[in-house]
Amino acid sequence: MKQLLALILVLICFSCGSKRKIITKKDRNEETEVPVKSDAPDRTIEDVKSDRPVITSTESYIETFKDIAISEMELYSIPASITLAQGILESGSGKGRLAVKANNHFGIKCHDWTGARIYHDDDRSQECFRKYKNPSQSFRDHSEFLAKRKRYSKLFNLSMKDYKGWARELRRAGYATDKRYPQKLISLIERYDLDKYDRKSAGISAAAKREHIVMAGDTLYSISKRYGVSVEQIKSLNKLSGNDIDIGQVLIISSAE
């Protein structure tokens, strides 16, 4: 009887030990099969399309945006050298937070802006700045910001070759509070030879017909000074009998002949 009881106890112990071993092995298999879920969102084709250009230096910033600056110069009569110098200074050559997060290359604050916005410490904590879909929108808004505000109208009485005058007038008109703002722009223009772009055009030859869109504050005299032509020449080309011009009016500055 004692031998029978001992045999039964041995069988029971063997059975329990085997069961535990099988369960352990099964648990381990289940753990290795559990997929790991990433919190990172999948990149879509739209993400790829909206990627910002890779800027590695001030030189690459200039190379990336010089054509846009020249194009804006043709449309709004703002020296490309000034646009590029402001972009370099305000955006830290495209590496600053506003440029990276909001495509804002010129530090333009919200003012009457109704679009997307970003908040950033500037003169005061968490000021409101404009946010753009891409850098080219920032360059266009910069042009319109200067061209459509009366306080910047004196800029357009200056020659487009006078980058020093433009730099000083931007400070006087209140674009920046930094007293050394003009000197910084002038230094950038001269260090990187940016004024060479003021003498270029976006595929328009020097002999092509040149036009000017009249903006607030324009006079025939200021326009003639800007382009280096006489008032009488402008009047003759546009068949003007007097000196009155209207905002939005397109004036021929020089003919293609």
Side-chain angles (χ1 to χ4, degrees), residues 163-174:
Y163 62 84
K164 292 182 179 179
W166 276 77
R168 295 183 184 111
E169 183 56 38
L170 276 168
R171 168 72 176 86
R172 280 193 290 264

Side-chain angles (χ1 to χ4, degrees), residues 66-83 139-140 143 156 160-161 166 194-202 210-212 226-227:
K66 62 181 176 60
D67 288 338
I68 294 178
I70 292 170
S71 178
E72 293 300 309
M73 176 176 67
E74 290 293 334
L75 290 171
Y76 291 91
S77 300
I78 299 169
S81 62
I82 287 292
T83 298
F139 276 74
R140 174 54 52 86
S143 298
F156 297 93
M160 287 203 297
K161 296 179 181 179
W166 276 77
L194 300 181
D195 60 318
K196 67 184 177 184
Y197 300 116
D198 297 340
R199 301 186 290 273
K200 293 187 177 183
S201 62
R210 197 171 193 184
E211 297 178 336
H212 172 80
R226 189 182 314 167
Y227 294 103

